[in-house]
Amino acid sequence: MSQPHRNLFTLAIHAGESPDPVTGAVAPPIHQATTFSFATADEAAAAFERYIQPAIDWTGGDDPYVYTRWGNPTQTTLERKIAALEGGQAALATASGMAAIATAVLTAVQAGDHLVSAQTVYSGTYELFHRKLPALGIEVTFVDATQAGNVRQALRPNTRAVYIETPGNPLLDLIDIAAVAQIAQAHATRPLVIADNTFATPVNQQPLKLGADVVVHSATKYLVGHGDAIAGVLVGPGEFVHRARTGMLRDFGGIVSPFNAWLALRGMVTLPLRVERHNANALQVARWLEQQPQVSLVRYPGLESHPHVALARRQMSGFGGMVAFELAGGVEAGKKLMDRVRLCTLAVSLGDVRTLICHPASTTHSYIPAAARRAVPAPESLVQGP
Ligand code: PLP
């Protein structure tokens, strides 16, 4: 198993923030403002100039604030903290995980381009890639990316991005990030590797250090951590983040509110502590489930029985709070379980301090068309919970 990143405990608290220079307030303020003033017309013109440059190295917050859809100091604090935790140059805070994914992907690919995506991805991501991107003239090929060679086979002369999610939702399959990154780096078009790190968090896995170019998160999950705000982030090179900010994010408008950015900041201060406990609790639950006669399959990357356990130990420093399992009694047994659990709450989402449980086949995966479900495998009796 790779080494846990001990300095993350310090970064989670201190990165991106310092006492307010005006008041001395120790906790970051919420800048609940839509617009920012200029002292002179020349200062205003210079600020606009900076935002319309197509390619600059952006580290966030060095530029004057203009309007909260373009940037806001509370968003900047969040962006600096997640960039530090993921080991990236810059970050962009968004309204949701889907806004982060759409912003990242549509900054990397445009009409006429090709995207290779792992087939085991969050159902909303699958929906975006399966229906919306082709409608925009972007070709998408789904592959079983647990075999990195399948990514190589799918690359084309117009491939501009490779999208992976690991551990993948809902089966907790793992993808070898370093192997996929090497394949992308060797391809003529040098497609960007975009990795959804929601399930692992930077505490358990750091895709940029393994060669990925951009990381996306549903911050709604472990980063916010308390089930009270929808938010997203993307982390990557300064130039890419600047293009995303001044292109997709500014024009499609999916920015996070200052209050939700602050809730994410509040949650992230305890992220490493919470994730450590999630890791320990989930392993205990997974081991217990393996002993139960009514359970036919348990999927948890920390178990010997996980098909990618060697990779898990190589690329992760902990295995997260999500456990997936199947019941021998099939769909009916799954529903009965949902009706009878105590303490666990029957609800979608994950990464909350509360234990949630759900049945993907009848909820999150039910709106994927039957014909396409083969590409996003979710066994009918699968149950998952953090
Ligand atoms: N990525 C993963 C792995 C998810 O599980 C989810 C939501 O469940 C998303 C992205 C989308 O995030 P959001 O709901 O914040 O838009």
Side-chain angles (χ1 to χ4, degrees):
M1 191 157 88
S2 70
Q3 285 306 302
H5 307 281
R6 299 306 304 180
N7 69 339
L8 284 189
F9 287 82
T10 307
L11 286 177
I13 296 166
H14 296 287
E17 53 180 271
S18 51
D20 184 71
V22 178
T23 61
V26 171
I30 306 171
H31 288 274
Q32 196 68 31
T34 55
T35 194
F36 300 82
S37 63
F38 302 102
T40 64
D42 276 351
E43 195 184 297
F48 273 75
E49 177 66 23
R50 177 84 178 152
Y51 279 89
I52 55 175
Q53 284 184 42
I56 54 172
D57 271 349
W58 175 284
T59 50
D62 300 333
D63 290 286
Y65 294 106
V66 174
Y67 184 63
T68 283
R69 182 157 46 76
W70 299 18
N72 169 291
T74 313
Q75 294 165 359
T76 303
T77 309
L78 168 59
E79 288 161 357
R80 286 181 171 168
K81 197 180 287 291
I82 187 64
L85 291 176
E86 286 287 1
Q89 199 182 4
L92 190 57
T94 60
S96 64
M98 285 313 302
I101 293 165
T103 301
V105 168
L106 289 171
T107 302
V109 297
Q110 51 193 351
D113 291 342
H114 175 238
L115 170 80
V116 175
S117 172
Q119 67 187 17
T120 306
V121 288
Y122 168 59
S123 52
T125 309
Y126 183 81
E127 185 72 2
L128 173 71
F129 293 176
H130 177 64
R131 290 179 196 273
K132 309 295 185 306
L133 295 192
L136 295 173
I138 297 159
E139 292 177 293
V140 182
T141 305
F142 290 97
V143 296
D144 174 3
T146 61
Q147 302 295 318
N150 292 338
V151 172
R152 186 187 290 111
Q153 303 254 310
L155 294 174
R156 298 185 192 163
N158 60 340
T159 308
R160 296 274 164 211
V162 175
Y163 186 92
I164 55 175
E165 181 183 310
T166 180
N169 189 342
L171 278 172
L172 307 178
D173 286 319
L174 300 192
I175 294 169
D176 188 332
I177 301 171
V180 169
Q182 274 170 19
I183 289 167
Q185 283 158 16
H187 190 65
T189 54
R190 182 54 186 94
L192 287 182
V193 175
I194 303 172
D196 185 329
N197 205 27
T198 301
F199 272 41
T201 83
V203 180
N204 285 335
Q205 173 178 278
Q206 298 187 315
L208 300 179
K209 293 200 175 134
L210 296 165
D213 300 291
V214 177
V215 161
V216 290
H217 276 277
S218 170
T220 313
K221 310 295 170 9
Y222 291 103
L223 303 188
V224 166
H226 295 75
D228 49 17
I230 301 276
V233 287
L234 66 87
V235 185
E239 179 273 332
F240 180 86
V241 170
H242 178 68
R243 265 196 296 127
R245 183 190 302 280
T246 56
M248 285 307 301
L249 193 69
R250 191 178 62 190
D251 298 341
F252 279 59
I255 56 112
V256 67
S257 72
F259 183 53
N260 279 2
W262 186 87
L263 284 170
L265 276 170
R266 166 75 175 250
M268 283 163 66
V269 169
T270 56
L271 179 72
L273 282 174
R274 285 186 286 106
V275 170
E276 268 196 348
R277 183 56 70 92
H278 275 296
N279 292 343
N281 288 354
L283 183 60
Q284 210 175 334
V285 169
R287 287 207 171 117
W288 181 83
L289 283 167
E290 273 196 320
Q291 307 303 317
Q292 307 312 309
Q294 309 93 320
V295 173
S296 53
L297 176 90
V298 184
R299 276 293 195 94
Y300 183 68
L303 291 178
E304 285 295 333
S305 58
H306 192 285
H308 313 129
V309 65
L311 173 61
R313 291 178 181 166
R314 204 164 65 238
Q315 85 179 2
M316 304 181 79
S317 53
F319 307 111
M322 286 294 284
V323 179
F325 60 100
E326 283 193 74
L327 290 166
V331 181
E332 286 314 310
K335 285 190 173 163
K336 209 164 161 184
L337 177 76
M338 296 294 134
D339 291 343
R340 292 207 179 159
V341 282
R342 297 197 202 136
L343 205 63
C344 304
T345 306
L346 172 52
V348 296
S349 201
L350 63 131
D352 200 314
V353 284
R354 299 155 194 92
T355 298
L356 310 179
I357 190 162
C358 89
H359 184 223
S362 57
T363 56
T364 49
H365 280 63
S366 60
Y367 67 90
I368 293 178
R373 257 190 239 168
R374 262 174 301 127
V376 189
E380 293 279 291
S381 56
L382 189 82
V383 171
Q384 57 176 200

